[in-house]
Amino acid sequence: MREPDFWRDRQRAENKSRRFEELKEEIETWNNIKKENKTLLELANESLKEEDFSIKNEIEDKLLKLKEKFNELEFFILLSEKYDKNNAIISIHAGAGGVDAQDWAGMLLRMYLRYCQKKGWSVKIHDKSVGSEAGIKSVTFAISGSYAFGFLKSENGVHRLVRISPFDAEKMRHTSFALVEVIPELEKDAEVEIKDKNIRIDTFMASGHGGQSVNKTDSAVRITHLPTKITVSCQNERSQRQNKENALKILKSRLHQISEKQRQQKKEELRGEYHEAAWGNQIRSYVLHPYQMVKDHRTDYEQSNIEEILDGEIDKFIEYYLRKK
């Protein structure tokens, strides 16, 4: 940080500074736990030595609080994989179920926005396609926060909703699906090369907010990676340049994630454990009728307080997933 050109690349410098502060805080927190533990042991030993048990309740209370702190910090040990500390990029796509699926995708977007708000993380929507009647067809947004990807990687997969459809005049029960994709946002200096000949860049008029130039100039950008057919759109920035930079950043993260998945799949195929991802392989079911229950099929953890969960209270599902993983 003392290097003269450290702040030349402001984004990279801010990321490094933030990471430094996170590590500094983490070390200080563990050191404080260590000091509290030492003090508590000394207090207990002194009490035994003098056969003075009048402070027994005080020692037990302090020990209980210390254990609670330790368990809370121990959870972060689960977030030790390569990209866990990174920011996250989430895409939600409405699947089978028509208008109900688009409404379900909108409900999931709200759930994650509320979760991020409670965590104190910042969210930036890059691209959003609104449904003709309700909800959304798809949305891509970036989340900036400490260990955002580590926490939210558990949400990657198909989410299933069962309810009485508000869009059905006969009030029939409908099943809807939405696909949630979670990838880590890569650092600017990450080694992901995209050759110009492998991409096609199209520009178009933005349909959402983004400044005075919206609907007047072709500020929105769509980048297609020709070898993989991956398409990334960004339209919420004021300038075409900013949208292009954001689209390239998301494309690099997606290409990197595909490369990581391919390596993992090869390992699993050798072990005979590989299963193709499909719509039937939902990770979590949200049932509103005939009973209320949210169940994660990977961990078998379930809760009945579905309104709180859809309002962003998903910490327990994340914790169970990480502990089982």
Side-chain angles (χ1 to χ4, degrees), residues 8-165:
R8 186 172 296 173
D9 186 337
R10 187 170 186 83
Q11 184 63 50
R12 181 176 177 275
E14 287 178 352
N15 289 339
K16 294 289 183 184
S17 299
R18 184 178 67 249
R19 182 58 182 151
F20 169 75
E21 291 299 328
E22 288 169 358
L23 289 170
K24 184 180 176 182
E25 183 180 351
E26 188 175 340
I27 290 167
E28 287 177 353
T29 303
W30 281 107
N31 282 337
N32 287 336
I33 288 279
K34 188 178 178 180
K35 288 177 184 175
E36 287 180 40
N37 185 54
K38 186 179 178 181
T39 302
L40 188 58
L41 283 170
E42 289 174 351
L43 187 63
N45 286 331
E46 189 67 26
S47 176
L48 288 170
K49 186 179 178 180
E50 297 182 4
E51 296 186 353
D52 179 9
F53 304 112
S54 61
I55 57 171
K56 180 186 173 185
N57 291 337
E58 181 187 346
I59 292 173
E60 287 179 345
D61 288 341
K62 286 183 178 180
L63 179 61
L64 184 61
K65 289 177 182 178
L66 191 61
K67 281 183 176 179
E68 288 174 355
K69 282 184 183 179
F70 180 80
N71 290 335
E72 192 176 316
L73 289 169
E74 187 187 32
F75 177 72
F76 281 90
I77 295 174
L78 302 173
L79 302 172
S80 57
E81 293 185 1
K82 188 174 180 181
Y83 300 105
D84 283 352
K85 64 180 175 59
N86 288 33
N87 296 332
I89 299 170
I90 293 184
S91 296
I92 303 173
H93 307 276
V99 179
D100 278 282
Q102 293 175 15
D103 188 50
W104 174 223
M107 291 166 66
L108 285 173
L109 172 61
R110 180 185 178 277
M111 182 179 80
Y112 293 126
L113 292 179
R114 293 287 291 133
Y115 178 74
C116 292
Q117 184 182 16
K118 290 172 183 179
K119 286 285 185 184
W121 296 340
S122 62
V123 177
K124 191 172 189 179
I125 294 178
H126 288 305
D127 187 53
K128 186 178 181 182
S129 177
V130 180
S132 56
E133 292 184 49
I136 56 173
K137 296 177 181 178
S138 64
V139 63
T140 298
F141 54 100
I143 300 165
S144 300
S146 181
Y147 292 93
F149 176 70
F151 278 95
L152 290 166
K153 65 185 180 184
S154 63
E155 300 305 295
N156 190 73
V158 177
H159 295 244
R160 172 176 170 261
L161 174 70
V162 181
R163 66 171 177 175
I164 299 295
S165 172

Side-chain angles (χ1 to χ4, degrees), residues 110-288:
R110 180 185 178 277
M111 182 179 80
Y112 293 126
L113 292 179
R114 293 287 291 133
Y115 178 74
C116 292
Q117 184 182 16
K118 290 172 183 179
K119 286 285 185 184
W121 296 340
S122 62
V123 177
K124 191 172 189 179
I125 294 178
H126 288 305
D127 187 53
K128 186 178 181 182
S129 177
V130 180
S132 56
E133 292 184 49
I136 56 173
K137 296 177 181 178
S138 64
V139 63
T140 298
F141 54 100
I143 300 165
S144 300
S146 181
Y147 292 93
F149 176 70
F151 278 95
L152 290 166
K153 65 185 180 184
S154 63
E155 300 305 295
N156 190 73
V158 177
H159 295 244
R160 172 176 170 261
L161 174 70
V162 181
R163 66 171 177 175
I164 299 295
S165 172
F167 308 101
D168 188 340
E170 297 180 5
K171 302 298 180 184
M172 299 290 287
R173 190 171 67 184
H174 284 240
T175 300
S176 309
F177 296 91
L179 174 64
V180 178
E181 295 178 310
V182 186
I183 57 176
E185 183 181 284
L186 299 183
E187 301 289 346
K188 198 169 184 179
D189 53 357
E191 295 179 4
V192 179
E193 183 183 3
I194 300 178
K195 296 179 180 178
D196 291 340
K197 67 178 183 179
N198 288 337
I199 60 174
R200 185 181 72 241
I201 300 176
D202 301 307
T203 58
F204 57 98
M205 287 187 182
S207 58
H209 65 277
Q212 296 178 352
S213 62
V214 170
N215 295 326
K216 295 180 181 179
T217 62
D218 291 341
S219 59
V221 173
R222 181 186 298 110
I223 300 178
T224 304
H225 187 252
L226 301 175
T228 61
K229 307 301 182 186
I230 293 174
T231 300
V232 177
S233 299
C234 284
Q235 60 174 309
N236 276 30
E237 298 293 345
R238 292 171 179 241
S239 73
Q240 188 182 111
R241 179 185 60 80
Q242 289 175 307
N243 281 321
K244 181 181 176 182
E245 287 177 356
N246 286 331
L248 279 172
K249 182 167 65 175
I250 295 171
L251 179 59
K252 284 184 177 181
S253 294
R254 285 189 173 172
L255 289 174
H256 179 76
Q257 190 77 345
I258 287 174
S259 177
E260 291 288 313
K261 280 184 179 179
Q262 287 174 344
R263 280 198 289 269
Q264 184 63 28
Q265 284 175 5
K266 285 180 181 178
K267 290 180 182 178
E268 290 175 347
E269 284 172 345
L270 289 172
R271 294 198 304 261
E273 297 176 3
Y274 174 65
H275 300 282
E276 183 182 357
W279 283 104
N281 296 333
Q282 61 265 10
I283 63 164
R284 195 177 297 154
S285 292
Y286 306 71
V287 181
L288 293 172

